[in-house]
Structure formats: C-alpha cells, structure tokens
Amino acid sequence: MASVLVVGYDPHAIPGVDGTSLRAALDAELGRFGDHGIDAAMALVVFDESAETTLVAALTERPWDVVVVGGGIRKAEQLLPLFEQTVNLIRRHAPQAAIAFNTSGGDSVEAATRWL
C-alpha cells in the first residue's frame, strides 16, 4: 500500500480562522486517501521552534512514497522560511519520497496520486 504524508499549517494557529472547521475539512480529506487505497497521515506545524521537531518526527516515522506540502505553508509570503525548511527537511529525512503540492486542503489526494 502506498504511503503519503500531508504536511500543513495548523489551522488553530491561523488568526481569524475557524480552526475547528478547517481541521474537520483536513481530516475529511485525509479520510479520502483510504478510499483510494492509500495509507496517509498528517503533520500540522506552526511557524516556531517546534516546526523542525514536528516535521522530522513525521518524516522519519516510516518511509513515505509522497509528501504533500499544503498551501497554508507555501502560499503565505511570511511563511517562506517555513516552506524552505519543510522542503529541505523532506530532502534530508525522506529522500525516497516524491514531493507534491496541493492547491487547497481538498485536493491532496489528487496531488499525491500524480506521483504514485
């Protein structure tokens, strides 16, 4: 069974956003992986000193076939350092994994399957 790690920004850390609703949508998307016969997990980070530890733990949990990096990390200009850190940690700790990018929290399955 293929394995996918989805890396995203913790919705509870985004000011002015209903973190609970957004997290429910992310969890629903994670559930869609199972519908496609893909074993998936999610790692949510915030832009602070805990990001690297969280990412390394998730990336080294097992060998991933694909790591999907969410738009919450990629699209916000102020998070560019976190995006760079994420890509470099994937290269270092999961070099066998393809790297994919979704366009929203609702198309992570499609992003991953482009590389499976």
Side-chain angles (χ1 to χ4, degrees), residues 8-30 42 44-45 71-73 102 104-106:
Y9 201 79
D10 186 339
H12 293 290
I14 304 171
V17 170
D18 180 357
T20 302
S21 294
L22 186 50
R23 176 61 195 256
L26 294 174
D27 288 338
E29 178 67 4
L30 195 62
M42 185 169 34
L44 298 175
V45 298
I73 292 174
N102 63 16
S104 73

Side-chain angles (χ1 to χ4, degrees), residues 18-58:
D18 180 357
T20 302
S21 294
L22 186 50
R23 176 61 195 256
L26 294 174
D27 288 338
E29 178 67 4
L30 195 62
R32 281 194 336 116
F33 280 97
D35 297 340
H36 290 81
I38 301 168
D39 186 22
M42 185 169 34
L44 298 175
V45 298
V46 294
F47 190 32
D48 66 14
E49 65 281 345
S50 69
E52 182 170 355
T53 302
T54 300
L55 287 169
V56 170

